[in-house]
Amino acid sequence: MFLRKQLQKTFLVGFIVWTLLLSAIPVKAQDIVAVSSITGGSSVFVFRKPRAAKQNSFVARKSSKAKRTSSQRKATVRKVVSNSRTVARSNRTRRDIDKVTPQAFAQIEIKRKSPEEASKIFAGLAEYYLDQEDDDKAVLAYEEAVKLDDANKDAKLGLSEVYTRMGDEALEADEFEKAKRYYDEAIKLDDKNSSAYAGRGQYFDQSDNDDEAKAEYLKALSIDPEMTQVKAPLGILYFQEGEIAKADEYMTAALKGGEDNAETQYFLGLIRYKQGNRDVEAETALRKSIAIDDTNEDAHYYLGAVLNRLGRPVDAITEFEKSTKIDVQYVPAWFDLGVGYYNQERYDDSINAFKQSVKFNSNRTDELKKLFEEAYANLADAYRQKGDLDQAINSYRIATAKITDDSDLYTNYGFVLGQKNKWNPAIENFDKAAKLQPDAISYANLGWAYFQRALYDGEFNQPKSRIDASLREAKAALVKSVSFDGNFVAALLNLGVVLNDLGEHQEAEKALEKANSLSKDWLPAMSEVGISYLKQGRYDQAVKQFKKVLDKDKDNVWALYYLSEAQFRNGKTDDARKTQKQVRQLNSKLADRLETLFRSART
């Protein structure tokens, strides 16, 4: 390490990173970062994805049931009840009952009638009251009719209708258990009462007992196809189960039948969104739903998702923001808002949104638990992008304690730790990444970290045995990287650098020249080849190599520095002095260092 050691005390601890263009680099990685050592040499770190890669939203993965607002549910109840009563009125033709007015009933001596005759009279009175929609009197008369003659089927049919109506009233009053009791009794009296099945379906629907609700709705439809208002709830239930084709079938039929309210348009929008290729229709439906009812945060949330897919991220952010204004504790919206801000490079806003996502997440479901963990990972990335490395490290620490299967997360954490010169924990994270995803990229980064630790220890005059141990670990990891991919230029470059520092110059040259041949005009590789020649005393070749670097980057101060040294060691003192002047224009400390080199050679 003689060249690196010569300059270790001259410059500050730490490293500088910059992103390299990848047009000439045939690797699978999307983002290679050159890390300049304090001596001007370069090693490279590889992000599997670009460092500023766009984060993924949660909504596309959201599997939990879509929200149904109380007001929308009530609107559906009213429509089902209205439809049920229309169907029930048309089904009165199933009964053969002569109506009896209260006046006529008062003239009849009931006690003189047989039970069968009296039953028919009470049924006639009940039918009159039912026509008048006086359910309280109708039910008393029907119950008396059935009590007098249990074989009076027409009276039972009428009583079944009244019980259904009373169940509907209880349902609309949110007295759900009372409603179910009426519906149950109605079906006992008439197992063909489609209105009662529809009502019982609404009872199960309100209590989110989806399987039972679906069965009741389907029974109602099978008895009477005119029970059209259950098609929209059926479409919703099929959507909640993930049966999108069935959901589309029933919701489309409901809309053709005139069913059009905030809830049906909302779920139509969700169905179109899930179908993936009907985003414009999804937007139209969701906007219709919002125009009718602007209080459903989920409608704004999914509209934001649709707008994202339509390539309108700014509009999507607006909708996510509306979701959080309606419900300040709406965790998925805060998360996707953080993603939206991050992808717009609004890192401060992103950090705040992810913090809110974490703050309000009570982990009631596995899905929310995963979202909680991902929020910390994304929060760490946002801090990293902002340059707040300490906060990034804190967030990565939390994220990696919870997420143990994401190699990229460990890689990013390791890189940030490296930027703070925390090389031991950095190596631990790179090692975990390599175990999770053992490939050329993972081992190239692990080798890079061991090499950086060796440089760092050298700056603080740690024992040579310790430095060499890190270099050997670096070599082992990089050899493994090359075994996965023999043309991986990042690993070849890092391997060459490490081999040079271990004094294995010929092997270093092979690795560096291969990297250079694979990535023409790649300055880090070109420079390191020159350093390799210089270390081996092949000064003519070193001079030519550094001139090639300067042809690509005429103000590369390190290439000028090493060119001057190579010229001087090759006996071209005048040329070395001329190059030194160029160095001085860019960096006086490096020029002074050259002066020291020149003077020491004369003594």
Side-chain angles (χ1 to χ4, degrees):
M1 294 179 68
F2 77 97
L3 283 174
R4 300 182 201 279
K5 289 286 286 182
Q6 286 174 6
L7 299 177
Q8 280 170 352
K9 296 181 180 178
T10 306
F11 302 99
L12 296 175
V13 173
F15 60 77
I16 304 168
V17 298
W18 66 93
T19 305
L20 297 172
L21 296 177
L22 301 179
S23 58
I25 303 176
V27 295
K28 297 177 182 178
Q30 295 176 306
D31 195 352
I32 290 184
V33 177
V35 178
S36 175
S37 76
I38 58 173
T39 64
S42 292
S43 59
V44 293
F45 174 84
V46 183
F47 281 96
R48 198 176 301 278
K49 299 175 183 177
R51 282 175 295 164
K54 291 186 179 299
Q55 292 174 336
N56 295 320
S57 68
F58 170 70
V59 64
R61 298 171 285 137
K62 189 174 184 291
S63 60
S64 57
K65 292 182 179 181
K67 178 181 176 180
R68 300 178 65 186
T69 68
S70 175
S71 62
Q72 290 175 358
R73 283 177 184 264
K74 284 183 177 295
T76 298
V77 167
R78 288 193 294 270
K79 285 182 174 292
V80 171
V81 166
S82 176
N83 184 210
S84 294
R85 294 194 172 181
T86 299
V87 170
R89 279 193 291 271
S90 67
N91 284 336
R92 288 175 188 173
T93 57
R94 296 172 57 206
R95 306 195 289 268
D96 185 14
I97 298 176
D98 294 327
K99 293 188 185 77
V100 176
T101 67
Q103 294 78 12
F105 181 80
Q107 304 298 317
I108 299 172
E109 295 186 39
I110 292 293
K111 291 182 179 180
R112 293 181 176 274
K113 303 293 182 182
S114 68
E116 292 78 11
E117 290 175 323
S119 175
K120 290 181 180 180
I121 293 169
F122 272 104
L125 179 63
E127 197 79 1
Y128 170 83
Y129 284 130
L130 184 59
D131 268 355
Q132 301 300 311
E133 297 192 356
D134 190 339
D135 294 344
D136 291 338
K137 291 179 180 178
V139 71
L140 293 173
Y142 273 130
E143 286 176 341
E144 185 65 24
V146 173
K147 181 179 178 181
L148 287 167
D149 182 7
D150 189 61
N152 188 341
K153 292 183 179 180
D154 289 330
K156 287 183 176 180
L157 293 177
L159 182 56
S160 178
E161 181 183 345
V162 176
Y163 280 157
T164 301
R165 290 170 62 89
M166 296 177 77
D168 292 341
E169 291 173 3
L171 187 69
E172 289 184 302
D174 294 338
E175 296 174 321
F176 300 124
E177 295 303 323
K178 180 179 179 182
K180 184 175 182 296
R181 288 195 295 272
Y182 278 123
Y183 293 136
D184 289 345
E185 291 301 318
I187 290 170
K188 286 178 185 177
L189 292 163
D190 178 12
D191 64 0
K192 300 296 182 184
N193 185 342
S194 60
S195 297
Y197 285 111
R200 200 156 68 175
Q202 277 291 294
Y203 162 79
F204 287 119
D205 210 345
Q206 296 298 319
S207 56
D208 292 323
N209 191 334
D210 294 351
D211 289 339
E212 296 289 346
K214 186 172 68 173
E216 299 293 329
Y217 287 144
L218 289 172
K219 181 74 172 177
L221 263 181
S222 69
I223 293 171
D224 196 332
E226 294 303 311
M227 194 64 65
T228 57
Q229 293 297 326
V230 301
K231 290 181 179 179
L234 271 170
I236 292 170
L237 291 172
Y238 278 117
F239 175 84
Q240 302 284 39
E241 292 178 351
E243 294 191 41
I244 304 304
K246 280 279 190 184
D248 188 5
E249 174 189 340
Y250 280 101
M251 194 61 72
T252 300
L255 286 164
K256 285 182 179 177
E259 176 67 13
D260 186 6
N261 58 35
E263 188 170 54
T264 55
Q265 288 295 340
Y266 165 57
F267 276 95
L268 177 65
L270 298 189
I271 291 166
R272 297 290 177 259
Y273 170 73
K274 291 292 186 181
Q275 288 171 324
N277 59 350
R278 305 180 74 172
D279 289 331
V280 173
E281 295 171 77
E283 180 187 0
T284 298
L286 288 168
R287 289 197 184 280
K288 283 183 179 179
S289 176
I290 290 168
I292 299 169
D293 177 8
D294 193 35
T295 64
N296 184 357
E297 63 270 23
D298 261 7
H300 290 286
Y301 178 62
Y302 279 102
L303 178 56
V306 169
L307 294 170
N308 259 336
R309 284 212 308 219
L310 288 171
R312 293 152 59 187
V314 176
D315 292 338
I317 286 173
T318 299
E319 295 304 320
F320 292 142
E321 287 172 339
K322 288 179 180 178
S323 293
T324 60
K325 287 177 182 176
I326 295 170
D327 181 0
V328 72
Q329 297 187 22
Y330 190 26
V331 171
W334 278 118
F335 183 92
D336 280 344
L337 194 53
V339 170
Y341 290 142
Y342 181 97
N343 293 340
Q344 293 289 309
E345 300 183 6
R346 295 169 56 182
Y347 298 123
D348 284 328
D349 290 333
S350 178
I351 288 166
N352 178 64
F354 285 129
K355 282 183 175 180
Q356 298 300 316
S357 175
V358 167
K359 176 182 177 181
F360 296 121
N361 193 331
S362 59
N363 290 329
R364 289 183 297 273
T365 65
D366 289 341
E367 197 168 57
L368 283 174
K369 180 180 178 182
K370 185 171 180 59
L371 197 65
F372 182 84
E373 296 165 355
E374 289 183 6
Y376 269 110
N378 289 352
L379 183 59
D381 284 342
Y383 276 125
R384 174 170 58 84
Q385 295 291 6
K386 185 185 175 185
D388 191 339
L389 301 183
D390 290 331
Q391 288 294 343
I393 288 171
N394 289 337
S395 296
Y396 279 128
R397 184 182 297 114
I398 295 171
T400 53
K402 299 176 181 297
I403 302 173
T404 59
D405 59 353
D406 187 342
S407 64
D408 285 340
L409 177 62
Y410 285 115
T411 296
N412 292 348
Y413 187 18
F415 183 74
V416 172
L417 287 166
Q419 286 183 285
K420 297 289 288 186
N421 286 316
K422 298 177 181 292
W423 290 110
N424 288 338
I427 287 169
E428 289 177 9
N429 279 279
F430 287 127
D431 186 56
K432 289 176 182 177
K435 285 184 171 74
L436 286 169
Q437 195 163 357
D439 61 9
I441 293 175
S442 294
Y443 280 101
N445 287 336
L446 180 59
W448 171 84
Y450 275 118
F451 172 65
Q452 293 297 325
R453 186 173 73 178
L455 289 182
Y456 185 74
D457 284 347
E459 291 172 14
F460 290 96
N461 296 316
Q462 295 299 314
K464 184 177 184 299
S465 59
R466 174 170 168 171
I467 296 169
D468 286 346
S470 291
L471 290 172
R472 285 193 295 273
E473 293 279 12
K475 175 184 174 181
L478 292 163
V479 167
K480 194 162 188 176
S481 175
V482 173
S483 74
F484 281 108
D485 183 354
N487 292 325
F488 189 23
V489 292
L492 289 166
L493 172 67
N494 289 349
L495 179 58
V497 172
V498 170
L499 290 171
N500 264 335
D501 279 1
L502 283 170
E504 301 175 26
H505 300 308
Q506 290 184 345
E507 292 302 311
E509 186 179 334
K510 290 178 184 178
L512 291 168
E513 286 188 340
K514 185 170 185 180
N516 199 36
S517 68
L518 288 168
S519 53
K520 297 292 186 184
D521 303 332
W522 191 31
L523 293 181
M526 293 173 68
S527 298
E528 284 297 333
V529 169
I531 292 173
S532 178
Y533 293 152
L534 183 58
K535 288 184 176 183
Q536 296 179 67
R538 295 160 60 182
Y539 303 127
D540 282 340
Q541 288 175 279
V543 168
K544 290 178 182 177
Q545 188 66 19
F546 288 123
K547 285 183 176 180
K548 288 180 182 179
V549 174
L550 291 165
D551 285 342
K552 302 297 179 183
D553 183 6
K554 65 183 180 64
D555 292 327
N556 188 318
V557 67
W558 283 107
L560 287 166
Y561 175 90
Y562 284 121
L563 173 60
S564 179
E565 180 178 347
Q567 290 168 332
F568 178 78
R569 293 185 184 280
N570 200 29
K572 306 292 185 182
T573 305
D574 291 342
D575 290 343
R577 287 290 184 183
K578 289 179 183 177
T579 306
Q580 182 195 24
K581 288 181 180 179
Q582 292 178 264
V583 173
R584 190 170 297 282
Q585 291 174 354
L586 297 170
N587 189 316
S588 61
K589 289 184 178 180
L590 282 180
D592 290 343
R593 191 67 188 177
L594 283 169
E595 188 63 35
T596 301
L597 174 65
F598 298 159
R599 290 176 182 174
S600 64
R602 288 199 295 268
T603 60

